[in-house]
Amino acid sequence: MISVGIRLTDQVFPGPEEPIAVFPGGTENPKQILDGIDKEGVAHIKRIILNRTANVEFLRAESPSRIWVRLQNHITDTTLTFREPFPLKSKLEIRKDDYALAPIDERVYRRCRIIETENENGLIQIFFIDDATTAWVKSECLAIMDEHYMFYPWQAIQISMFGVYPSVVDHSGKLEQLWSIQTCNKLSQILRAFPILRVQVALSTVVFNDYAKPIPVKLFGIPPGVEEREYHYRAMSISQILEGGLPMPAEPEEEAKDDVDSDEEEVLETGPSVRKEEVDNKPPEIVCMDLYDAAFHEIFDVAERDQIPTEPLDIHCEFPKDWKESDDAEEEEKKEKEEELYSKDSLTVKLEHADWDPRLNKIEMMTVKELGEKFRFSEDDKEPRIMLAVEGRCTKSPYEWYARPIVKTGKNKREENVAWGTDSDLREVDETDWMLYGNDQLTSVAEQLDTFYSNTKNRKPLRTVEIQAMMQEKRDVFAVCAVNEEKANYTGEWQRVLIVNCDQFAEVRFLDSGGRDMVLTSSLYRIHEQHCRFPPMCLRFAIHGVSTRLNSGREDGKWHSNEIARFRMCLREDTPIFINIADIVPLPAPMDKERRVHMARHVLMAKDVSYMDETRSLLDRFLNDEDSVNAVRNPELPCQWPPF
């Protein structure tokens, strides 16, 4: 998560040019601006925010205040470079700060941002956000960027040399503090001499809410031929080289110029010729100071501006006329599939094989009766109960928490294992082993799904229009979802989900690992019939008979953060929990007009929870009157008991 730091007045720090988050006002927390296209049609792409030492490659130096670099493991040349065959559509609407695809080389497109709209010469200024280069182009060469590519951050990172200032000079008849063009050229020459740069982010008492603000860093160069384990010791301070306190790194012998005498003229890359004695007599153009707080780091402009061209390059005029949008072999394969989909007598699309039909593939939710029959903890108990393991990371409130029934070893162990899609021999174990076995069950199912859906032939996309059509028919829509790396490390990359809502994004409930999340619709795929044969491994519960005290009078199911934190602490996940079968009923499905937070389909309501090693129940702990933030008893919420 990206922090936005302290909120200060514009008198101290100017308002953000490109904010990271928005402040709703009052006591509400900041809300991070999400990637993609928002409700107003404005596109947003995050930038990489460095907060530690990193090794980077040099891209471009506008001045010591504005330097562009890129991480060594960037994905510009692979994921974010577009060559034919690739579908390109002309971008007809040109708006300032919008994103597009533009040619960076002959028949090569990359991501760019529109900096300025058409000038008097009919040219548009763009900035390639992954390469840190600027170009003036015709609108005819720009292509629409698919929203999918807005979820990759800028690969180019803007930094600023910390503690380095330009001298005050007489520019155009008045004293100004600007970077001279000679200093900027010299900096570029220095930075290009190093194959690797090392940036050390300067510490700040303020974290700015602005992507456009360059990151203050102490900048070092790694000389050629230095091994990675020696970077820390062999790094050369760029500010000292620029100031003249350190020599430039030695050039390789084959590239050294033997005919250059130290007393002869030194010529900068684009600057005028000056003799060495003249340079020695000139006042210093930069000043280096030892600073410790980057909060008040200043950015300075360049004395001379780039000239605007009157004519664009040939590649920046229009699309290549013979640009291929698809591969011939792929196009032929697509045509064959279309012929298979359509019948000979009509234009009606044939249904896919029943094994992949989302209208037929349904995961049956367990009823309370089935829970009692399949997962009864002990046949000797007078009051039948089930044993569960709580998924604490998924707990959102007393009205939404998740737990997995644990299969009890015993007479019907084989039947119980088959109910979860596993079939391993078990022995009588204690409660610790029961918890471990419950985790093994989840891991086993995750391995089955990963093995099957990791094969690209077994991945069939589930389109948004299909999902929305089935939801309008009041159908439950099940799918498999590709999850992010953090969640996949424990519960597998491919997971069975119930789609709760689907618009620009899809809200899904994870049926085996528990919890809900918003995912890209492109990450949803059709579920195969064989993975619908066993019920969800994780159940969603709501505690009956309690309501929030701090928000008393509210019936929308929203709980205060302090109450949620206390409930998470009381709902233990380090030991099995038990619920009597008689204390479980299904929570009524919500009506269309009653969209409360806690009202959802396939939710079980429980009166209370007990623990193996405690006499106090969950409600006893949670309703402790000694604590001022706990909840109160309310037999009417989340609904009356029994609800039918």
Side-chain angles (χ1 to χ4, degrees), residues 432-490:
T432 303
D433 287 330
W434 289 332
M435 295 284 288
L436 294 176
Y437 173 61
N439 290 333
D440 290 342
Q441 289 176 308
L442 181 61
T443 303
S444 175
V445 171
E447 289 176 353
Q448 292 178 38
L449 296 174
D450 283 356
T451 302
F452 187 82
Y453 293 101
S454 294
N455 187 341
T456 55
K457 294 181 179 179
N458 294 330
R459 294 206 294 266
K460 300 182 182 295
L462 187 58
R463 296 181 301 166
T464 303
V465 290
E466 292 180 281
I467 299 172
Q468 293 174 342
M470 286 185 286
M471 296 188 76
Q472 289 178 357
E473 298 169 5
K474 308 298 182 184
R475 294 174 179 267
D476 285 336
V477 186
F478 299 92
V480 287
C481 177
V483 300
N484 58 48
E485 184 176 353
E486 181 180 356
K487 190 175 181 68
N489 286 336
Y490 175 66

Side-chain angles (χ1 to χ4, degrees), residues 333-606:
E333 183 180 355
K334 181 180 177 182
K335 185 177 180 181
E336 291 178 359
K337 288 183 177 180
E338 288 180 351
E339 291 176 354
E340 292 177 1
L341 282 175
Y342 287 90
S343 65
K344 298 179 180 179
D345 301 327
S346 69
L347 293 178
T348 304
V349 179
K350 289 183 177 179
L351 292 176
E352 288 203 31
H353 193 280
D355 289 350
W356 295 99
D357 191 346
R359 295 176 181 271
L360 299 178
N361 293 345
K362 181 179 180 181
I363 300 174
E364 294 294 338
M365 299 291 181
M366 280 188 295
T367 64
V368 176
K369 182 179 179 181
E370 289 173 332
L371 280 174
E373 292 174 351
K374 295 181 179 180
F375 304 108
R376 180 170 176 169
F377 174 69
S378 174
E379 296 180 357
D380 300 330
D381 287 349
K382 294 181 181 180
E383 294 185 0
R385 56 179 181 165
I386 59 174
M387 178 172 59
L388 308 99
V390 172
E391 289 289 354
R393 59 187 172 77
C394 301
T395 301
K396 294 185 179 293
S397 75
Y399 291 166
E400 183 179 355
W401 52 279
Y402 298 82
R404 288 180 287 111
I406 302 175
V407 177
K408 168 70 171 65
T409 61
K411 298 178 182 178
N412 300 324
K413 59 187 178 184
R414 183 174 180 83
E415 294 179 4
E416 292 164 346
N417 293 335
V418 172
W420 292 120
T422 60
D423 188 12
S424 59
D425 192 18
L426 302 175
R427 58 185 173 86
E428 292 293 342
V429 291
D430 60 17
E431 62 272 16
T432 303
D433 287 330
W434 289 332
M435 295 284 288
L436 294 176
Y437 173 61
N439 290 333
D440 290 342
Q441 289 176 308
L442 181 61
T443 303
S444 175
V445 171
E447 289 176 353
Q448 292 178 38
L449 296 174
D450 283 356
T451 302
F452 187 82
Y453 293 101
S454 294
N455 187 341
T456 55
K457 294 181 179 179
N458 294 330
R459 294 206 294 266
K460 300 182 182 295
L462 187 58
R463 296 181 301 166
T464 303
V465 290
E466 292 180 281
I467 299 172
Q468 293 174 342
M470 286 185 286
M471 296 188 76
Q472 289 178 357
E473 298 169 5
K474 308 298 182 184
R475 294 174 179 267
D476 285 336
V477 186
F478 299 92
V480 287
C481 177
V483 300
N484 58 48
E485 184 176 353
E486 181 180 356
K487 190 175 181 68
N489 286 336
Y490 175 66
T491 55
E493 180 183 359
W494 296 94
Q495 299 197 25
R496 302 189 303 166
V497 297
L498 168 66
I499 301 175
V500 180
N501 195 13
C502 183
D503 195 0
Q504 292 183 346
F505 295 89
E507 179 186 352
V508 299
R509 170 180 159 186
F510 296 100
L511 296 177
D512 300 317
S513 60
R516 290 183 295 123
D517 203 356
M518 299 295 293
V519 300
L520 294 172
T521 54
S522 58
S523 66
L524 297 174
Y525 294 84
R526 296 170 184 258
I527 188 169
H528 192 272
E529 184 271 338
Q530 65 175 304
H531 299 128
C532 299
R533 295 171 184 168
F534 54 99
M537 297 189 66
C538 196
L539 308 176
R540 177 175 169 178
F541 287 92
I543 283 289
H544 174 265
V546 291
S547 65
T548 172
R549 171 183 289 176
L550 298 181
N551 292 335
S552 59
R554 299 182 63 170
E555 296 183 357
D556 56 4
K558 291 186 178 179
W559 290 75
H560 193 276
S561 58
N562 291 344
E563 294 171 327
I564 295 174
R566 176 173 174 78
F567 183 77
R568 284 176 173 164
M569 179 186 68
C570 295
L571 184 63
R572 295 178 57 182
E573 59 176 328
D574 60 334
T575 185
I577 66 170
F578 298 91
I579 307 178
N580 292 338
I581 296 296
D583 290 339
I584 304 176
V585 294
L587 191 67
M591 304 295 291
D592 291 339
K593 298 180 180 179
E594 189 179 22
R595 298 296 297 175
R596 300 182 185 177
V597 174
H598 62 280
M599 301 295 284
R601 292 173 59 83
H602 310 300
V603 178
L604 297 176
M605 188 165 55

